[in-house]
Amino acid sequence: MTQKLFYEDSFMKTFSAQVLECCPDEDGYQIVLDRTAFFPEGGGQYADRGHLNQICVTDVQEKDGKIYHKTKEAIEPGTCVEGEIDWAERFMKMQQHSGEHIVSGLVHERFHYKNVGFHLGSENCTMDFDGELTKEELHEIELCANEAVFQNLEVQILYPSDKELAAMEYRSKIEIEGQVRIVVVPGYDVCACCAPHVKRTGEIGLIKLTNVQRYKGGVRVTMLCGSRALRDYDRKLTAAKQIGAALCAKEDETAEAVAHLQEECAQLKQKLHKQQLELLKYKVKEIADDEEFICLFEEELEGEAPRLLMNQVLDRGHALCAVFCGGKEGAYRYVIGSRVFSLRELVRELNAEFGGRGGGKPEMVQGTLRGKEEELRAWIQKKARMLRDE
């Protein structure tokens, strides 16, 4: 059995120990110590990392009471080692995990939802609850969670007897055998947990709930605490300043500036649409009246403009009109219409010939394809004449 120093002092950064085992595995070694401050992966939290005698520890796992430290180099059994955990990473994880207890305790108390999933990842922390929460409800939970931080409450670790445990109300996601370790945030949460925690809630720092989404009949909440929340704020403030500078607005007024920009953009789109319709009329007038089958290639037309152009051509009495838009690297978007022929067979053969995708109604088809202008024009003219002569 490995002595778990992280339970005796969650703020222990360095320690001395003796190597009991050193077993080779696929890409390194698994080292067992008589005592360790390295927390192994468990309870939704990934393992501590650090060094043993300057040798990197990249993973830590527990099995049958032994804690295995993953290294690239061997250390002989019997060797006395100095261990050092990556303290910045450990403290960050304790901030997240202690913050999660407060949030989950509040959700359980107010809504009676259970935390059915917890994952402390390398970028953020997620909590899965078995009921739905609105963004407004989650904001209220966030405010209350930060109140717990401001109170700087002592985080208590209890090892109750079986009798004491039977009389205690506490949260737990799994059935636990043997001694149960209880983490208490007074007034906010009582929960069975195996992970290291901060000593006082003030050490958690800011608790920020950044997202909520529906997940497996409940919700998944994303959270950042302490140093992670600060980095997130720094990134977003930098982005807000850059956006504000581009919009000539203060960073707390960018939403209004964007709304104004969107309104201007919508007005310009309307103006452009009207001008485009006028341009289409001139394009149609340039088409000779005696041409029966019209094939047009236009690079700039977007949105519904190709269909409008096609309909204007058909309104002048032409039997068929095909409009191809784009043309970069031979890629086209097409719309083809006729008030004389059914186009279903034509579009099937067109897609087969030019690797296209699309379809539609007998009187109008649209899609995408790849080809050369001269080949497409010749193919359309040929198929249109065949339809006429049938």
Side-chain angles (χ1 to χ4, degrees):
M1 298 286 287
T2 305
Q3 183 182 354
K4 299 175 180 179
L5 299 175
F6 47 83
Y7 282 165
E8 298 174 17
D9 182 3
S10 62
F11 277 66
M12 183 180 291
K13 304 177 183 66
T14 60
F15 64 98
S16 299
Q18 185 176 41
V19 176
L20 300 180
E21 300 177 24
C22 181
C23 307
D25 66 3
E26 293 179 356
D27 55 351
Y29 297 87
Q30 298 285 355
I31 294 175
V32 178
L33 306 175
D34 63 340
R35 59 206 297 264
T36 185
F38 284 86
F39 177 72
E41 181 179 10
Q45 181 169 315
Y46 61 97
D48 286 336
R49 291 177 289 193
H51 296 85
L52 294 175
N53 283 359
Q54 305 303 314
I55 297 173
C56 287
V57 175
T58 58
D59 190 23
V60 186
Q61 300 290 328
E62 181 175 11
K63 184 178 181 181
D64 298 329
K66 293 182 179 181
I67 296 178
Y68 295 85
H69 304 73
K70 174 74 173 179
T71 65
K72 289 290 187 181
E73 300 177 39
I75 304 178
E76 288 294 323
T79 303
C80 291
V81 295
E82 294 297 319
E84 181 179 8
I85 66 171
D86 183 334
W87 173 247
E89 183 179 63
R90 157 68 82 78
F91 185 66
M92 176 276 295
K93 289 189 289 187
M94 291 198 301
Q95 287 180 315
Q96 314 310 307
H97 207 144
S98 298
E100 178 269 324
H101 275 234
I102 294 173
V103 172
S104 294
L106 285 167
V107 170
H108 184 263
E109 177 190 10
R110 299 195 178 194
F111 302 99
H112 307 292
Y113 297 157
K114 295 180 180 179
N115 181 326
V116 294
F118 167 64
H119 178 67
L120 202 171
S122 59
E123 297 296 329
N124 55 38
C125 171
T126 61
M127 300 162 281
D128 300 335
F129 297 103
D130 60 357
E132 295 211 8
L133 293 166
T134 66
K135 291 182 179 180
E136 292 75 20
E137 290 169 338
L138 204 65
H139 182 62
E140 184 64 27
I141 291 292
E142 178 183 277
L143 293 176
C144 293
N146 281 285
E147 281 295 326
V149 172
F150 303 152
Q151 292 178 55
N152 198 27
L153 302 166
E154 180 184 0
V155 178
Q156 303 169 5
I157 307 297
L158 306 179
Y159 293 91
S161 66
D162 291 343
K163 183 178 179 181
E164 291 171 329
L165 189 67
M168 185 180 293
E169 290 187 10
Y170 66 97
R171 295 189 303 111
S172 179
K173 293 191 286 291
I174 60 173
E175 292 291 331
I176 303 172
E177 296 182 359
Q179 178 66 64
V180 177
R181 181 174 184 264
I182 299 293
V183 177
V184 180
V185 182
Y188 290 88
D189 189 44
V190 180
C191 182
C193 181
C194 64
H197 285 268
V198 298
K199 293 181 179 179
R200 304 193 74 89
T201 58
E203 294 163 340
I204 297 171
L206 175 67
I207 297 176
K208 189 64 184 175
L209 305 180
T210 59
N211 190 36
V212 59
Q213 61 190 71
R214 288 181 174 175
Y215 183 76
K216 293 184 177 180
V219 292
R220 169 165 287 183
V221 176
T222 304
M223 179 187 72
L224 300 172
C225 294
S227 55
R228 281 186 174 181
L230 179 60
R231 287 195 299 270
D232 183 65
Y233 178 82
D234 284 343
R235 285 194 298 268
K236 290 175 179 176
L237 180 60
T238 298
K241 286 181 177 292
Q242 292 173 343
I243 295 169
L247 296 173
C248 298
K250 296 179 181 178
E251 56 262 27
D252 60 346
E253 297 175 352
T254 53
E256 293 86 347
V258 169
H260 179 68
L261 190 63
Q262 287 177 321
E263 184 179 351
E264 286 185 347
C265 184
Q267 292 174 353
L268 288 172
K269 283 184 176 181
Q270 289 182 345
K271 183 177 180 180
L272 180 61
H273 180 69
K274 291 180 180 179
Q275 292 176 341
Q276 196 171 55
L277 290 178
E278 291 298 318
L279 179 61
L280 294 182
K281 292 178 182 178
Y282 286 104
K283 286 182 177 293
V284 173
K285 289 180 180 179
E286 294 175 355
I287 299 172
D289 292 338
D290 58 351
E291 289 188 44
E292 190 173 7
F293 312 122
I294 309 302
C295 194
L296 302 172
F297 287 81
E298 303 289 341
E299 292 185 8
E300 304 298 331
L301 296 185
E302 297 179 352
E304 63 176 0
R307 181 178 58 82
L308 294 174
L309 176 57
M310 177 205 71
N311 282 325
Q312 288 189 29
V313 171
L314 296 180
D315 287 343
R316 289 173 60 89
H318 300 281
L320 180 143
C321 179
V323 180
F324 295 90
C325 302
K328 290 184 179 180
E329 299 181 357
Y332 288 96
R333 180 166 64 96
Y334 68 81
V335 57
I336 306 171
S338 175
R339 295 170 186 171
V340 179
F341 315 121
S342 172
L343 300 175
R344 282 182 170 165
E345 184 64 22
L346 179 143
V347 73
R348 186 185 65 80
E349 295 180 5
L350 177 68
N351 289 333
E353 182 70 19
F354 294 97
R357 297 182 63 182
K361 299 178 181 179
E363 64 274 13
M364 187 190 80
V365 294
Q366 55 188 340
T368 58
L369 51 69
R370 303 185 68 87
K372 296 180 180 180
E373 178 178 338
E374 59 272 18
E375 293 176 351
L376 287 165
R377 189 184 299 276
W379 193 93
I380 290 292
Q381 292 288 340
K382 178 182 177 181
K383 288 298 178 180
R385 287 194 295 269
M386 292 174 61
L387 286 173
R388 179 196 61 191
D389 296 338
E390 286 180 357

